[in-house]
């Protein structure tokens, strides 16, 4: 028979070591799953927002219906009437008039144009030479630019 010491306990160290290893694996595994889950949801939110913005930008459409110039009085006024035939709303943030390098730039905080509705904006502009083509650029909050050209009065 093999001799055993009175302090020898075979198997107890194996059980304790196994329990410590199992606890460590469980704690690290749950931490890793939690981190991966939050990281995945963060990327999913960014991807969803990017997809939504790009699809809405593609669906954004604006037509310029009328442009009226008023030269009466001291100031020159222009009235730009736009129509939104699309199914999503948009915000006009800037209208720029450009004729031979003479630029009138009108910025807005946000002028909403609801779906299937029109918007008319009136503002002063620089004096342009008569019968010169004026390029009109309308910018939306999503970055779309719609352009048209008219002759100055």
């Amino acid at each position: 028979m093999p001799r055993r010491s009175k302090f020898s306990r075979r198997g107890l160290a194996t059980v304790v070591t196994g329990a410590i290893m199992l606890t460590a694996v469980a704690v690290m595994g749950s931490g890793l799953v939690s981190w991966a889950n939050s990281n995945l949801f963060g990327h999913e939110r960014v991807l969803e927002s990017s997809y939504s913005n790009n699809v809405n930008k593609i669906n954004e459409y604006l037509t310029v219906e009328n442009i009226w110039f008023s030269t009466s009085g001291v100031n020159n006024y222009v009235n730009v009437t736009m129509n939104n035939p699309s199914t999503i709303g948009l915000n006009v943030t800037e209208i720029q008039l450009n004729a031979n390098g003479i630029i009138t730039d009108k910025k807005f905080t946000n002028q909403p144009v609801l779906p299937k509705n029109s918007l008319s904006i009136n503002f002063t502009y620089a004096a342009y030479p008569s019968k010169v083509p004026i390029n009109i650029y309308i910018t939306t909050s999503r970055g779309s630019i719609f352009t048209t050209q008219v002759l100055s009065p």
Side-chain angles (χ1 to χ4, degrees):
M1 235 171 147
R3 290 184 75 190
R4 288 192 190 176
S5 164
K6 63 178 179 179
F7 298 109
S8 171
R9 294 186 179 183
R10 272 184 104 152
L12 186 59
T14 307
V15 172
V16 171
T17 305
I20 291 172
M21 293 288 283
L22 186 60
T23 304
V25 167
V27 168
M28 287 191 305
S30 62
L32 183 64
V33 167
S34 174
W35 171 79
N37 195 19
S38 67
N39 198 17
L40 176 68
F41 285 137
H43 288 300
E44 183 180 352
R45 282 189 298 269
V46 169
L47 183 63
E48 180 182 345
S49 173
S50 174
Y51 173 78
S52 175
N53 286 340
N54 288 332
V55 166
N56 285 341
K57 188 174 180 179
I58 290 171
N59 291 331
E60 204 171 59
Y61 187 68
L62 188 68
T63 58
V64 179
E65 291 182 345
N66 291 314
I67 298 174
W68 302 332
F69 291 94
S70 171
T71 57
S72 64
V74 178
N75 294 326
N76 298 322
Y77 291 95
V78 62
N79 184 300
V80 180
T81 303
M82 301 157 277
N83 184 26
N84 180 9
S86 67
T87 57
I88 62 169
L90 57 89
N91 291 320
V92 174
T93 57
E94 180 181 9
I95 297 178
Q96 185 182 70
L97 306 177
N98 185 350
N100 292 338
I102 302 171
I103 297 174
T104 300
D105 194 21
K106 179 68 175 175
K107 294 187 186 284
F108 307 100
T109 52
N110 274 330
Q111 290 292 324
V113 186
L114 299 175
K116 312 287 186 213
N117 282 326
S118 296
L119 172 68
S120 186
I121 297 176
N122 190 17
F123 60 93
T124 61
Y125 69 97
Y128 296 118
S130 184
K131 305 298 182 205
V132 172
I134 299 174
N135 295 317
I136 299 177
Y137 303 100
I138 301 169
T139 307
T140 66
S141 60
R142 291 186 185 104
S144 298
I145 299 174
F146 301 96
T147 183
T148 189
Q149 191 176 55
V150 295
L151 283 175
S152 63

